[in-house]
Amino acid sequence: MQNTLNDQNPGAAPSFRELVAVFARIGALSFGGPAGQIGMMHKTLVEERRWLSEERFLHALNYCMLLPGPEAQQLATYIGWLLFGVRGGIVSGLLFVLPGLAIILGLSAAYVLYQDATWLAGLFFGLKAAVLAIVVEAVIRLGRRTLKTTFLRGVAAVAFIALFFFSLPFPLVVFAAGLAGYLMTRAGGQQTQDGVAKGDGPPGAKTPGVARTIATLVFWILVWQSPVLALWAFGAPESLSSLFAFFSKMALVTFGGAYAVLAYVAQVAVADYGWLKPGEMLDGLALAETTPGPLVLVLSFVGFLVGFREASGLGPVTGGIIGGLLVAWATFVPSFVFIFAGAPLIERLRGNALLSGALSAITAAVVGVILNLAIWFGLHVLFREVRHVDLFALAGFGLSVPVWSSLDPIALVLFAASSVMLFVLKLGMVPVLAISAAAGFLAQIVLIQ
């Protein structure tokens, strides 16, 4: 018997087959970076399917926002774990990544063989406009449901200002919000939310003891590092071992998503290891931005290039695929470690007033974070050129502004049409994505001719 995680609709529990089908679809359509992906999961799982309540979804999201690595994939894993335990977490987490990973490996092969990524521009042109509309809807929906007090609205505003104008580190903003919520609750001041009820965990879940938590942590760490043994047993090239070791370390410090580490990875890959040529990281980022799944899939592009060029004895394409898979393993498996070891403890503390106060403030900060991402994403979708303006350099105060003459009228029309379909016509997410993608592709064909 499935566990019900939606207090507003107790009969909404899915079957395992439904879980697989829905996350396969989410994984194949998860464009738009973390803001779009989180918005897509919220719309599908909370609004449309009603598998989770708003509170359960946000509780899971708050925890994932505190972790290093791709928060959207961690959220997918957490939700799968809530619904069907470990097997649900594995399936949902993998399905969120595998479609994009398969595409990025294929595009990486096309890139190194043909050295041209410009042909991708028209393929996903319309999808970005539709995803922007979905992100805007997510910001509005989450804001209405979570920013219920003056304190929470203030936290969201400060988080947005800190990120958009001062470019403060993402983990610092989230930590500060959690601390503010904790102190507000401890002081007995304004209530941070209407109240949190302690609910059920996944099917068959028990309150985790220390020994069980440690055993779970050790097991998944061994799974994470198991490729080291395989590389040694098969006498793999040293370049692949170095690749896996480097990205295993990166997985533990990737707070703030892909953009927080891309500059560092590019520097190390080009200057220290000589894995990439200057400018190739930007080409990889362009590929990753046009594919579904977490943006950190760009790291698998790096792995493919290393394997393609340096994995002697394996064949270039085979070596590239192995390199891309090794980087994906090093990057994404830690998410399962964090969820399966930490989520039981987080669920156990769900009724704790102080923790709930901290997490509700983090929820408010997340609204500011998603708003920041939405504006950034919107600028780059609607305008061909965006520049950063320093208003007060000593304080780090500045903002990204569009070059108005670079406005893309077709992208603007597609975004407006997608917004009408979502907000006015109330069409589902998949029809909106499909219609916008088809319209964008046709528009690009007309322009090329």
Side-chain angles (χ1 to χ4, degrees):
M1 183 176 181
Q2 288 98 13
N3 193 34
T4 298
L5 300 175
N6 190 339
D7 298 333
Q8 288 76 41
N9 187 0
S15 68
F16 189 74
R17 180 176 295 181
E18 288 176 312
L19 178 81
V20 172
V22 167
F23 272 99
R25 189 184 72 173
I26 289 175
L29 299 175
S30 56
F31 296 90
Q37 292 154 3
I38 292 168
M40 188 175 296
M41 280 190 280
H42 183 274
K43 184 173 183 62
T44 301
L45 304 174
V46 178
E47 292 286 325
E48 297 178 351
R49 301 271 176 169
R50 299 186 179 181
W51 289 353
L52 287 85
S53 66
E54 187 82 26
E55 183 268 319
R56 296 305 292 269
F57 181 89
L58 293 175
H59 183 81
L61 177 60
N62 292 336
Y63 173 61
C64 296
M65 283 289 179
L66 296 173
L67 301 174
E71 60 270 24
Q73 188 236 353
Q74 291 161 353
L75 178 61
T77 304
Y78 198 131
I79 291 172
W81 174 82
L82 277 175
L83 292 167
F84 287 96
V86 172
R87 66 169 180 154
I90 292 175
V91 167
S92 60
L94 286 178
L95 288 176
F96 190 82
V97 172
L98 289 180
L101 177 60
I103 293 173
I104 198 69
L105 291 178
L107 295 178
S108 298
Y111 175 83
V112 295
L113 293 174
Y114 304 108
Q115 287 296 308
D116 183 17
T118 58
W119 57 274
L120 290 168
L123 192 57
F124 297 108
F125 177 73
L127 280 173
K128 289 185 177 181
V131 168
L132 177 58
I134 292 173
V135 170
V136 171
E137 185 193 34
V139 173
I140 295 173
R141 187 169 57 245
L142 288 175
R144 285 175 177 171
R145 296 195 175 191
T146 60
L147 305 183
K148 298 178 180 179
T149 68
T150 302
F151 171 72
L152 292 180
R153 289 189 287 271
V155 170
V158 170
F160 171 75
I161 292 170
L163 291 166
F164 187 77
F165 291 102
F166 293 94
S167 299
L168 291 182
F170 170 78
L172 178 61
V173 174
V174 172
F175 175 79
L179 180 61
Y182 172 85
L183 293 175
M184 175 67 75
T185 305
R186 186 182 181 113
Q190 183 176 351
Q191 292 296 314
T192 54
Q193 61 181 28
D194 293 336
V196 178
K198 190 172 182 179
D200 299 329
K206 298 179 180 179
T207 301
V210 175
R212 183 188 179 97
T213 300
I214 293 175
T216 301
L217 185 63
V218 170
F219 172 79
W220 283 103
I221 289 176
L222 291 175
V223 171
W224 175 36
Q225 291 299 302
S226 59
V228 173
L229 182 60
L231 291 171
W232 173 80
F234 289 99
E238 178 63 28
S239 58
L240 293 182
S241 299
S242 299
L243 184 75
F244 185 77
F246 172 71
F247 282 102
S248 292
K249 296 175 185 176
M250 288 300 303
L252 300 178
V253 296
T254 51
F255 290 95
Y259 291 108
V261 296
L262 285 182
Y264 175 69
V265 171
Q267 178 184 357
V268 172
V270 174
D272 297 351
Y273 287 99
W275 287 338
L276 272 69
K277 300 173 185 177
E280 286 184 330
M281 178 62 83
L282 292 178
D283 291 337
L285 182 59
L287 294 179
E289 285 184 328
T290 56
T291 61
L295 194 57
V296 289
L297 281 170
V298 66
L299 302 180
S300 286
F301 170 80
V302 177
F304 188 96
L305 264 59
V306 174
F308 184 88
R309 293 167 176 168
E310 301 189 20
S312 58
L314 295 175
V317 175
T318 301
I321 292 174
I322 293 175
L325 291 175
L326 281 173
V327 171
W329 188 279
T331 302
F332 294 108
V333 172
S335 295
F336 297 101
V337 179
F338 297 137
I339 298 305
F340 296 149
L345 298 175
I346 295 298
E347 284 297 306
R348 180 184 178 185
L349 295 172
R350 203 160 63 87
N352 182 282
L354 292 176
L355 178 66
S356 296
L359 292 181
S360 64
I362 292 174
T363 299
V366 166
V367 175
V369 170
I370 296 178
L371 176 59
N372 174 65
L373 291 172
I375 292 177
W376 184 92
F377 184 55
L379 290 175
H380 287 80
V381 168
L382 300 178
F383 296 88
R384 298 186 182 94
E385 186 177 351
V386 179
R387 57 193 179 92
H388 185 79
V389 177
D390 290 321
L391 300 178
F392 189 43
L394 293 178
F397 183 78
L399 72 162
S400 296
V401 296
V403 177
W404 292 100
S405 60
S406 70
L407 176 67
D408 189 331
I410 298 178
L412 180 61
V413 169
L414 289 174
F415 167 65
S418 298
S419 299
V420 170
M421 286 186 283
L422 280 173
F423 289 97
V424 180
L425 302 180
K426 306 295 183 182
L427 294 184
M429 181 177 58
V430 173
V432 172
L433 287 170
I435 294 171
S436 185
F441 185 69
L442 290 174
Q444 289 294 299
I445 291 177
V446 171
L447 287 176
I448 291 173
Q449 293 177 345

